[in-house]
Amino acid sequence: MTISVSSSTSDDNVTKNTAKNATTKQPKIVVKRYGIMRLLYTCKHTFNGLKWMCRNEAAFQQELMLFIPLTVFACMANISAPQSAMLVLALLFVLFAELVNTAVEVVVDRIGLEFHELSGLAKDIASAFVFLSMLMAAIVWWVVLWA
C-alpha cells in the first residue's frame, strides 16, 4: 500500500508527532508536598489503593465480605468495648496482610513475569503472612467469644 503525501505535510506531521511523543515519554516529576496538601494527597493515594484492591483483588474482596458482617456482629455482641475492638482489629489485620501480600506480588510481577525461585519465595512468604494473620484472627475470636 502506497501513500503519497507532500513533503511539507509529512515533515509537519513528523515534527508534531515527535514533539508529542517526547512530551509524553518524559519521566514524571515527583513533587514533595508538605502540611495539609501532603495529608490530602496521602488520603487520595490511600483511597486509590483501596479502590483498586476492591475492584481487582478477589482475595481482598472475599475478606472484605467477611469483615463487614463480622464487624457488625462484634459491635452488637454482648461483650465489652475493648473485646469488640480486639475482634475488629484482628479482622483489620487480615486486610492489612492482604494489602502487603498484594503489594509484594505486584512488585515481583513488575520486575518480571518469568519464573524465578526468589520471586516465588517472596510470594510464598507474603501468602504465609496472610495465612498467619487469619490464624491469629481466628484465635482472637475464639478466645474472646468462647474461652
Side-chain angles (χ1 to χ4, degrees):
M1 180 175 176
T2 307
I3 300 174
S4 59
V5 178
S6 69
S7 65
S8 64
T9 306
S10 178
D11 291 342
D12 289 345
N13 287 339
V14 169
T15 304
K16 288 177 185 176
N17 288 338
T18 304
K20 183 179 180 181
N21 289 340
T23 59
T24 59
K25 292 188 179 188
Q26 291 178 354
K28 291 184 179 181
I29 297 172
V30 177
V31 177
K32 191 77 169 169
R33 293 183 170 81
Y34 299 96
I36 192 73
M37 289 307 292
R38 180 180 179 280
L39 180 63
L40 291 174
Y41 275 89
T42 298
C43 291
K44 175 187 170 201
H45 294 303
T46 300
F47 177 74
N48 287 342
L50 290 172
K51 183 171 68 172
W52 188 91
M53 290 291 288
C54 289
R55 288 182 178 170
N56 299 296
E57 191 60 35
F60 189 80
Q61 293 168 354
Q62 293 164 354
E63 291 156 0
L64 199 57
M65 289 301 109
L66 279 175
F67 172 81
I68 294 168
L70 289 176
T71 298
V72 171
F73 173 80
C75 293
M76 298 185 76
N78 191 18
I79 56 177
S80 68
Q83 289 174 320
S84 291
M86 285 185 353
L87 295 180
V88 172
L89 288 173
L91 296 172
L92 281 172
F93 189 69
V94 173
L95 294 176
F96 167 74
E98 191 61 49
L99 288 167
V100 172
N101 178 43
T102 302
V104 168
E105 289 178 355
V106 167
V107 169
V108 167
D109 290 346
R110 161 71 171 82
I111 293 168
L113 295 176
E114 68 279 350
F115 176 79
H116 190 281
E117 186 177 328
L118 292 176
S119 297
L121 180 60
K123 288 183 174 188
D124 290 347
I125 292 169
S127 180
F129 179 46
V130 174
F131 173 76
L132 289 177
S133 73
M134 290 178 178
L135 184 62
M136 290 168 54
I139 291 169
V140 169
W141 276 72
W142 182 79
V143 167
V144 169
L145 297 179
W146 291 286

